[in-house]
Amino acid sequence: MLWSYFAAILTCPGHVPDDFRPDVDPEENPEAMSDKSDPRRPRFCRKCQKWKPERTHHCSICGRCVLKMDHHCVWVMNCVGERNYKFFFLFLWHTFLLSLLSVLALLPYFSEFFKGERNADKGSNPAQLAVSFMAFVVDLAFCLSLFGFIVMHLKLIAANCTTIEMFEKERIKPWPYDKGVKKNFEEVFGTSKLLWFVPVQRDQACTNEERLRLRM
C-alpha cells in the first residue's frame, strides 16, 4: 500500500510540453474549434497561455495542465492523470484489502459486544468491547466507501473515461476513446498482466494514445 501511495505522490501525472501544437491550426481552420461536442477539437488554455492536447485539463491547484486528468486528490497531494493513475488505483485497492482484513479481525469483538451478560462472567472488559465495536463500525463504513470508489473507477477504466469526462461521455455517443475493455485496461495497467497489481511503470513511459496526443 505504501509503495503505491508514494508512487502516486512522487510520479508526475503528465504535463504538456511547451512546444506542443495541434495538428490543425485553428487560425487557418477556425471551424476545427466550432464543434464544442467533439472532445478531440484543438483547445487553448488561457491560464497557461498555450495549446493543450485532447483529454487535457487545467488544474487550478497545481497551476498547470495535466494529461488525461482524472481529478486532484488531496490524499496523495497530487493530480491523478495519465502517468500515475495506475498507482492511485492500486493505492485504493491495497487500502481496501487492508481495511477488509481489519474488519474481519474485529468481527469477533463485534459479535461479543451483543452477547452482553453471557460474557460478563468470563471477565470481558465492557470498555474494550465498546471501543472494538466502534472501531468495527468505522472500519466497515470506510471499507464500503472504498469498495464503491473502486467499482466506480473500474467502470471508468473499462470505458476509457476519466472522472472529469464521466458526464461528457453521456452526451457523446459513441465515446471516441473506447477501444474495448481489454485494451482500455492495458492502457492503464500495461500489457503484462503479471504486473497489473504491482506499482511499477507500464511497459512504456508513454502510452500509444499519449504519444498521439503529444504528436511524439
Side-chain angles (χ1 to χ4, degrees), residues 155-172:
K155 290 182 178 179
L156 292 176
I157 294 172
N160 200 343
C161 183
T162 66
T163 302
I164 293 177
E165 297 169 337
M166 185 164 44
F167 299 104
E168 186 180 13
K169 176 178 176 292
E170 297 301 319
R171 297 185 290 103
I172 302 174

Side-chain angles (χ1 to χ4, degrees), residues 99-166:
S99 298
L100 181 61
L101 182 63
S102 178
V103 167
L104 295 176
L106 290 169
L107 187 59
Y109 296 96
F110 178 80
S111 177
E112 285 185 27
F113 181 81
F114 289 99
K115 292 180 181 179
E117 297 179 356
R118 286 185 291 174
N119 284 324
D121 297 334
K122 298 179 181 180
S124 298
N125 188 334
Q128 182 180 0
L129 289 177
V131 171
S132 299
F133 171 79
M134 291 302 300
F136 175 85
V137 172
V138 172
D139 210 4
L140 180 62
F142 182 62
C143 189
L144 291 175
S145 64
L146 281 175
F147 178 75
F149 207 31
I150 288 172
V151 169
M152 183 192 79
H153 277 281
L154 283 174
K155 290 182 178 179
L156 292 176
I157 294 172
N160 200 343
C161 183
T162 66
T163 302
I164 293 177
E165 297 169 337
M166 185 164 44

Side-chain angles (χ1 to χ4, degrees), residues 37-109:
S37 64
D38 187 0
R40 294 168 293 186
R41 71 186 185 279
R43 293 181 301 164
F44 187 80
C45 181
R46 296 180 180 177
K47 296 182 179 178
C48 294
Q49 287 298 303
K50 60 183 180 182
W51 293 100
K52 56 184 178 180
E54 54 193 279
R55 311 192 77 180
T56 300
H57 297 275
H58 185 88
C59 177
S60 58
I61 299 176
C62 295
R64 60 176 64 185
C65 290
V66 178
L67 298 174
K68 198 180 176 183
M69 179 179 174
D70 188 86
H71 67 288
H72 185 94
C73 181
V74 295
W75 301 110
V76 300
M77 299 172 285
N78 196 4
C79 272
V80 178
E82 179 86 48
R83 299 178 186 173
N84 66 345
Y85 185 60
K86 173 184 176 180
F87 304 139
F88 169 75
F89 180 83
L90 291 181
F91 167 60
L92 291 179
W93 174 253
H94 292 139
T95 304
F96 167 73
L97 292 180
L98 286 175
S99 298
L100 181 61
L101 182 63
S102 178
V103 167
L104 295 176
L106 290 169
L107 187 59
Y109 296 96

Side-chain angles (χ1 to χ4, degrees), residues 179-199:
K179 305 173 184 176
V181 175
K182 182 175 182 292
K183 289 187 177 180
N184 291 342
F185 269 85
E186 287 179 349
E187 186 173 309
V188 174
F189 297 104
T191 55
S192 177
K193 293 182 175 57
L194 294 176
L195 298 178
W196 275 20
F197 290 94
V198 180

